[in-house]
């Protein structure tokens, strides 16, 4: 899952990005409104964490511009805590609102919920046959027994599970699993898929050669 | 209810109207009554005079009344009949005929006609003004005059008809008075209400005006009237309250943003660091970030407290003589390393000048201004700080050829938390309060500050402070403008 953090305060941006990376998100960063908007348009992020008071142009402007073309889930992170501000933020197309100062664990829980909901998934648990994926703890169980997945493998499983029944193209996988700083190898995804099949069963993921991957429902 | 102005106005109005109408109507009635009675009296008097004239034909003095009966006296002179004149007796309307009586000096009755029953001379000793009563129903009016040889002539008549007529007049007058009163009171009530209606509208608007909703305004219909002017004044006051409230709200929002951001940095950095075991480099990085955030926080708190203190008092807390030129020189020395790093050349032209005030605050002003001049400059830029005595004041000018301030920003630079370029300010660690504080301190010391600037050309800040010798020991307080 790939997240964009738009925040001009370096200390805060580092902490948020670091914290999300440690939860195995691919994280891109932007320090001002213009860069933020550029990146948000360029990549299809799973969620955007957006500060409101930004140099160049502010978060409101970014949100208004982005909503013309994209429906990416946006979480507003700001020091403005009045009811009017929250209402304004949500009414202008934000999906969640969190006031500074905040707790990183709350932020990441909200980001998880945002991503889940944007895929129409209400519960934190996704059940596919005998496989149960818990997005809150990032654990996978098969037939009641925990399965040991690497962080990448887990992210890939979550991505495919959230989009189950739909074909997930190879480029989509690159977009959502690796961040802008990564030099990904073209066959890396195939290696991960091979490992996932080994751990969760041969038929868990289907490969459509030349198109991508799919978890059949 | 009794406190309401409309009510009190109406009461006064009613009291005055009632007393005027009642007074006028009473006077009217009394006048009419007097005229009627005078008419009757004149009529009776003239009748009595006729009798008096007739009586003069008799030799009353020579008549020995003790020896001969009175009837002889009259019989002896029967061609002369003592009676009322015909025009009085045969009245045009059905007025009751007047009665009369003539008594001799010794009290014996000479002649009488139609005297009322139970008539007695004693009881009818009435004055001309008041009607005499001889019976239960009759209202009589009498005139008595002294005739020849001490005789007494009395003429009177029933005036019940006239009195009844007067009573009817009284009723009519009363009815008329009632009508006038009713009309007057209704009119007065309507007038009071219509005059006071704008006041009700004003109090309504004023009572709806609150911190939650500052939109209510008084609808000013007529601007010329006193109430219209009052409404305009109140509306202006509402505008000012709303403006200052908005400023306050903006200030609170900005302050909370500025305070919360470093707090968020500290909190998130610490939370991240505590999530798992970190390398010592990572801990150092976390602590460094937290330390700079907390430094920013404490600077901000310090600035906010300074501003609060400046808002609270209108005078500096200290009254020390300060050599502004020396303070300026010290500020330049403090600033020089920063300026060298930014490749900005600092110059100064200082002339000894003394002001009275708080030395720390004056230093703060100069340092803040100097810091801005260096921060908003560019490599190889110049800053010139000059102190001079001009007339009754010390003139401090800070001139730079830095990035300048755009015209739209210039109007706001002294506003709290206003920053023309946020990104740049953050790099320099400014809080956006430096100029507000400088302006507050200068105002506190009785001085003024002007900023002139051109984008890309540079900025000139001119500060005037009262010269020490010109400043009165105990400055006269300016009258406070309440509105």
């Amino acid at each position: 899952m790939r997240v964009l953090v738009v925040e001009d305060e370096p200390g805060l941006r580092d902490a948020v990005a670091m914290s999300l990376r440690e939860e195995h998100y691919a994280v891109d960063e932007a320090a001002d409104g213009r860069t933020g908007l550029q990146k948000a348009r360029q990549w299809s992020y799973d969620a955007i964490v957006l500060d409101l008071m930004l140099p160049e142009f502010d978060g409101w402007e970014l949100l208004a511009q982005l909503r013309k073309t994209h429906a990416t889930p946006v979480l507003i992170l700001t020091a403005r805590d009045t009811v009017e501000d929250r209402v304004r933020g949500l009414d202008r197309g934000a999906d969640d609102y969190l006031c500074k100062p905040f707790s990183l664990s709350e932020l990441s829980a909200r980001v998880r919920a945002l991503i889940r909901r944007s895929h129409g998934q209400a519960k934190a648990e996704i059940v596919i046959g005998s496989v149960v994926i818990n997005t809150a703890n990032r654990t996978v169980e098969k037939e009641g027994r925990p399965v040991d997945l690497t962080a990448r493998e887990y992210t890939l499983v979550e991505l495919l599970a959230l989009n189950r029944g739909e074909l997930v193209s190879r480029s989509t996988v690159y977009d959502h699993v690796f961040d802008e700083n990564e030099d990904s190898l073209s066959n890396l995804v195939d290696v991960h898929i091979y490992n996932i099949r080994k751990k969760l069963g041969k038929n868990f993921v289907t490969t459509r050669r030349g198109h991508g991957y799919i978890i059949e429902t | 209810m009794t406190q309401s102005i409309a009510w009190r106005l109406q009461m006064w109005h009613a009291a005055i109207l009632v007393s005027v109408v009642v007074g006028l109507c009473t006077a009217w009635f009394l006048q009419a009554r007097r005229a009627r009675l005078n008419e009757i009296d004149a009529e009776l008097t003239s009748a009595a005079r006729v009798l008096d004239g007739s009586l003069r034909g008799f030799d009353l003095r020579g008549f020995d009344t003790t020896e001969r009966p009175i009837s002889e006296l009259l019989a002896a002179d029967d061609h002369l009949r003592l009676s009322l004149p015909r025009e009085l007796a045969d009245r045009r309307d059905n007025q009751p005929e007047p009665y009369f009586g003539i008594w001799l000096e010794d009290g014996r009755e000479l002649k009488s006609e139609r005297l009322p029953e139970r008539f007695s001379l004693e009881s009818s000793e009435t004055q001309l003004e008041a009607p005499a009563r001889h019976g239960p129903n009759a209202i009589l009016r009498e005139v008595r005059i002294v005739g020849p040889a001490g005789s007494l002539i009395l003429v009177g008549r029933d005036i019940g008809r006239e009195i009844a007529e007067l009573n009817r007049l009284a009723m009519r007058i009363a009815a008329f008075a009632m009508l006038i009163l009713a009309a007057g009171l209704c009119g007065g009530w309507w007038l009071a209400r219509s005059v006071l209606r704008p006041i009700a509208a004003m109090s309504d608007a004023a009572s709806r005006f609150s911190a939650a909703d500052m939109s209510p305004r008084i609808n000013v219909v007529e601007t010329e009237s006193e109430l219209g002017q009052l409404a305009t004044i109140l509306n202006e006051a509402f505008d000012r309250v709303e403006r200052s409230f908005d400023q306050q709200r903006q200030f609170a929002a900005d302050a909370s943003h500025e305070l919360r951001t470093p707090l968020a940095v500290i909190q998130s950095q610490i939370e991240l660091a505590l999530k798992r075991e970190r390398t010592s480099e990572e801990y150092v990085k976390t602590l460094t970030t937290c330390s700079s955030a907390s430094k920013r926080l404490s600077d901000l708190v310090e600035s906010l407290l300074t501003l609060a203190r400046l808002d609270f008092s209108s005078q500096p807390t200290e009254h020390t003589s300060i050599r502004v030129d020396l303070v300026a020189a010290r500020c330049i020395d403090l600033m020089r390393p920063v300026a060298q790093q930014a490749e900005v050349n600092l110059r100064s032209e200082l002339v000894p000048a003394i002001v009275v005030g708080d030395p720390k605050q004056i230093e703060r002003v100069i340092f803040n201004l100097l810091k801005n001049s260096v921060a908003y400059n560019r490599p190889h830029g110049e800053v010139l700080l000059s102190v001079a005595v001009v007339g009754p004041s010390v003139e401090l000018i800070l001139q730079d050829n830095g990035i300048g301030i755009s015209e739209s920003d210039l109007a706001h630079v002294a506003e709290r938390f206003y920053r023309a370029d946020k990104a740049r300010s953050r790099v320099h660690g400014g809080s956006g309060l430096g100029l507000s504080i400088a302006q507050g301190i200068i105002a506190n010391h009785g001085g003024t500050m002007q900023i002139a600037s051109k984008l890309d050309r540079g900025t000139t800040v001119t500060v005037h402070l009262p010269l020490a010798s010109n400043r009165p020991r105990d400055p006269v307080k300016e009258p406070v403008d309440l509105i």
Side-chain angles (χ1 to χ4, degrees), chain B residues 119-186:
Chain B
F119 177 84
S120 78
L121 204 54
E122 285 73 35
S123 77
S124 70
E125 267 189 31
T126 50
Q127 288 76 45
L128 281 176
E129 281 75 26
R133 280 178 184 276
H134 294 292
N137 297 321
I139 303 166
L140 307 169
R141 187 133 185 121
E142 293 170 348
V143 165
R144 53 180 71 193
I145 59 173
V146 179
S151 61
L152 175 70
I153 303 164
L154 180 145
V155 181
R157 72 172 170 90
D158 186 352
I159 56 162
R161 220 173 250 271
E162 279 86 353
I163 292 298
E165 213 168 272
L166 282 173
N167 282 345
R168 278 197 297 282
L169 177 67
M171 294 311 280
R172 277 201 298 276
I173 289 177
F176 176 72
M178 286 298 171
L179 227 92
I180 297 250
L181 276 180
L185 290 183
C186 288

Side-chain angles (χ1 to χ4, degrees), chain B residues 78-359:
Chain B
D78 60 353
H79 69 276
L80 199 145
R81 297 179 56 173
L82 275 178
S83 63
L84 290 172
R86 284 215 66 78
E87 76 267 16
L88 196 63
D90 301 338
R91 294 183 59 87
R92 53 216 174 277
D93 42 25
N94 298 327
Q95 288 276 19
E97 263 191 84
Y99 58 88
F100 73 89
I102 302 164
W103 289 265
L104 295 180
E105 198 180 13
D106 55 9
R108 280 181 301 163
E109 184 183 300
L110 182 65
K111 186 177 178 182
S112 73
E113 266 180 35
R114 294 181 301 276
L115 274 185
E117 292 170 49
R118 284 184 283 168
F119 177 84
S120 78
L121 204 54
E122 285 73 35
S123 77
S124 70
E125 267 189 31
T126 50
Q127 288 76 45
L128 281 176
E129 281 75 26
R133 280 178 184 276
H134 294 292
N137 297 321
I139 303 166
L140 307 169
R141 187 133 185 121
E142 293 170 348
V143 165
R144 53 180 71 193
I145 59 173
V146 179
S151 61
L152 175 70
I153 303 164
L154 180 145
V155 181
R157 72 172 170 90
D158 186 352
I159 56 162
R161 220 173 250 271
E162 279 86 353
I163 292 298
E165 213 168 272
L166 282 173
N167 282 345
R168 278 197 297 282
L169 177 67
M171 294 311 280
R172 277 201 298 276
I173 289 177
F176 176 72
M178 286 298 171
L179 227 92
I180 297 250
L181 276 180
L185 290 183
C186 288
W189 184 242
W190 176 82
L191 201 73
R193 291 299 298 262
S194 66
V195 164
L196 294 175
R197 197 172 303 126
I199 296 184
M202 279 183 219
S203 75
D204 177 54
S207 65
R208 280 188 293 118
F209 186 88
S210 66
D213 181 15
M214 297 211 168
S215 63
R217 290 289 184 278
I218 302 160
N219 191 12
V220 185
V221 184
E222 26 183 334
T223 46
E224 292 304 312
S225 75
E226 292 87 338
L227 284 180
Q229 287 169 9
L230 178 61
T232 312
I233 289 168
L234 279 176
N235 277 345
E236 285 165 10
F238 288 159
D239 286 346
R240 274 195 296 275
V241 170
E242 188 175 7
R243 259 202 308 282
S244 78
F245 219 85
D246 280 348
Q247 276 171 9
Q248 204 59 36
R249 205 177 350 224
Q250 184 60 42
F251 175 71
D254 289 340
S256 77
H257 177 264
E258 295 297 323
L259 288 168
R260 278 181 172 142
T261 303
L263 270 180
V265 170
I266 294 171
Q267 192 174 326
S268 58
Q269 286 281 345
I270 290 174
E271 196 181 335
L272 180 68
L274 291 178
K275 243 164 140 183
R276 66 180 64 154
E277 191 93 1
R278 306 280 176 188
T279 63
S280 59
E281 287 83 27
E282 280 173 325
Y283 284 130
V284 168
K285 191 172 164 250
T286 300
L287 288 175
T288 313
T289 312
C290 286
S291 150
S292 83
S294 86
K295 168 87 172 56
R296 219 172 97 197
L297 205 53
S298 69
D299 283 353
L300 189 67
V301 169
E302 183 55 39
S303 296
L304 284 173
L305 285 177
T306 306
L307 269 179
R309 275 196 289 269
L310 285 173
D311 286 346
F312 186 70
S313 72
S314 60
Q315 273 187 40
T317 44
E318 259 185 76
H319 293 277
T320 317
S321 292
I322 309 159
R323 280 281 298 274
V324 180
D325 53 316
L326 297 184
V327 176
R330 191 163 57 240
C331 287
I332 286 177
D333 285 344
L334 282 171
M335 206 62 208
R336 205 171 291 284
V338 182
Q340 272 166 1
Q341 204 167 25
E343 294 180 54
V344 172
N345 186 20
L346 285 184
R347 287 196 304 128
S348 60
E349 289 170 9
L350 306 176
V351 169
I354 300 174
V355 300
V356 172
D358 184 338

Side-chain angles (χ1 to χ4, degrees), chain B residues 428-440:
Chain B
H428 293 287
S431 62
L433 292 174
L435 268 183
S436 309
I437 291 174
Q439 198 171 45

Side-chain angles (χ1 to χ4, degrees), chain A residues 8-12 14-15 18-19 22-23 53-55 78-81 100-105, chain B residues 253-254 256-257 260-261 263-265 267-269 271-272 275-276 278 282 285 289 296 422-423 426:
Chain A
D8 64 330
E9 181 64 41
L12 198 55
D14 285 352
M18 194 66 185
S19 154
E22 286 181 359
E23 304 205 354
M53 287 193 172
L54 292 168
T78 176
R80 304 182 70 104
D81 68 335
K100 294 176 190 172
F102 57 94
S103 152
L104 283 175
S105 53
Chain B
D254 289 340
S256 77
H257 177 264
R260 278 181 172 142
T261 303
L263 270 180
V265 170
Q267 192 174 326
S268 58
Q269 286 281 345
E271 196 181 335
L272 180 68
K275 243 164 140 183
R276 66 180 64 154
R278 306 280 176 188
E282 280 173 325
K285 191 172 164 250
T289 312
R296 219 172 97 197
K422 225 173 138 251
R426 178 134 314 157

Side-chain angles (χ1 to χ4, degrees), chain B residues 3-23:
Chain B
Q3 292 303 306
S4 133
I5 290 183
W7 183 251
R8 272 188 276 173
L9 237 137
Q10 178 68 355
M11 290 313 291
W12 276 108
H13 175 238
I16 292 169
L17 195 66
V18 164
S19 56
V20 166
V21 167
V22 166

Side-chain angles (χ1 to χ4, degrees), chain A residues 86-129:
Chain A
R86 292 168 201 237
V87 170
R88 187 171 155 210
L90 294 173
D91 280 349
R92 291 204 180 176
D95 299 272
D96 204 352
Y97 200 100
L98 189 59
C99 289
K100 294 176 190 172
F102 57 94
S103 152
L104 283 175
S105 53
E106 184 181 355
L107 175 72
S108 66
R110 283 177 186 267
V111 169
R112 277 200 300 275
L114 269 186
I115 294 173
R116 207 165 66 217
R117 289 214 169 261
S118 71
H119 289 95
Q121 176 73 36
K123 283 199 296 179
E125 276 185 351
I126 307 170
V127 182
I128 298 162

